Amino acid sequence: MCRHLAYLGPPIPLSRLLFDAPHALVRQSWAPRDMRGGGTINADGFGVAWFPSTTVSDRPAQPVGMADTEPIRYRSAAPLWSDAALPGLAAATVTPAALAAVRSATAGMPVVETAAAPFQEGRWLFSHNGVVRGWPGSVAKLAAHLPTTDLLTLDAPTDSALLWALVRDRLRAGADPAVAVAGVVAEVEAVAPGSRLNLLLTDGGRIVATTVGHALSIRLGDGAVTVSSEPLDDDPRWEGVPDRSLVVATPSEAKTGEI
Ligand code: GLN
C-alpha cells in the first residue's frame, strides 16, 4: 500500500525527504521494505505539500513548524521516480513543514491525480495508507451522514478520499485533530473490520498519525520530527510505532498511545 511521511522542524530542502535520504520517499516508491502484504511498489501517483518558509525579511519570525500561510501542493498520477522536473524544484524548495505520499492504488480504484494524497483544506493536509474493507458498501451508511455537497465533491471515488471527508467534517465542527482522527478510525473499524487505517494529518504545527495494519516510524531530534512509513536513513533515533497506536507529535515531543 502507499507510503507516506510528514516533517516539522527547522526549514530543510524538500529534496531531503523525497530524494536525498538513503531511503527517501522515492526509494520507498520502488523498493519499499515493509509493505506487510499490502502491494509491492507504489507507482500509482504521488503528492507532496509544503508550507512556505518564512524567508521574507520584513515578516515577523514564525515559531518552528508554524509557517504562516497555507501549504502549496503538487500531485500527479505518475510514479514519483518518473517526474523529471521535481528533483530540481524540490532541491530549491526549503520548508519547515511538509507531508508527502506515494500511492499503490487498491484494486478497483482509479489511478488519477486527485486520488493521490495529500488531501487538503486550508492548512490541513491528510494521507491514508491502507484499505477500507468491503468498500464501498461497508461505509455507505457512514458516508450518508456527510453533507451531500461533500460527497459530490470528493477528491476521487476512493476509500482514502472518503476517509479524508470524514476527518475534515469533524475538523470543521471544531474537533481536536487527534480526537477527529481516532473517531474516524473507530467508526470505520466498526463497520469495516480488518481495514488498514494508517492515517496522517498535519496543519504545519503538529502531526497526528495512526497505525492500524501498516508500518510507521518516528524520528525526534535536533528540534525536528519526522513521521514516516519507513525510516529514511539509519539514524538510531528512528523508533518503530507499535500497531494500533495514535501519535501526536510536534518538533519537541511525540506522544504515542493506544488507539
Ligand atoms: N486504498 C487507497 C487507495 O487506493 C490507499 C492505498 C494505499 O495505501 N496503497 O488510494
Side-chain angles (χ1 to χ4, degrees), residues 36 118 131 159 165 193:
R36 306 203 175 171
V131 61
D159 53 359

Side-chain angles (χ1 to χ4, degrees), residues 9 11 52-56 59-69 96 123:
S53 201
T54 45
T55 50
V56 180
R59 274 195 216 157
Q62 297 295 311
V64 162
M66 284 298 289
D68 63 351
T69 50
R123 297 176 62 90

Side-chain angles (χ1 to χ4, degrees), residues 4 126-129 163 167 181 184-185 197-201 208-211 216:
H4 57 203
F126 176 84
S127 173
H128 163 231
N129 163 210
L163 291 170
V167 170
V181 164
V184 167
V185 168
L197 300 169
N198 277 38
L199 309 186
L200 184 62
L201 178 74
V208 176
T210 60
T211 51
L216 194 72

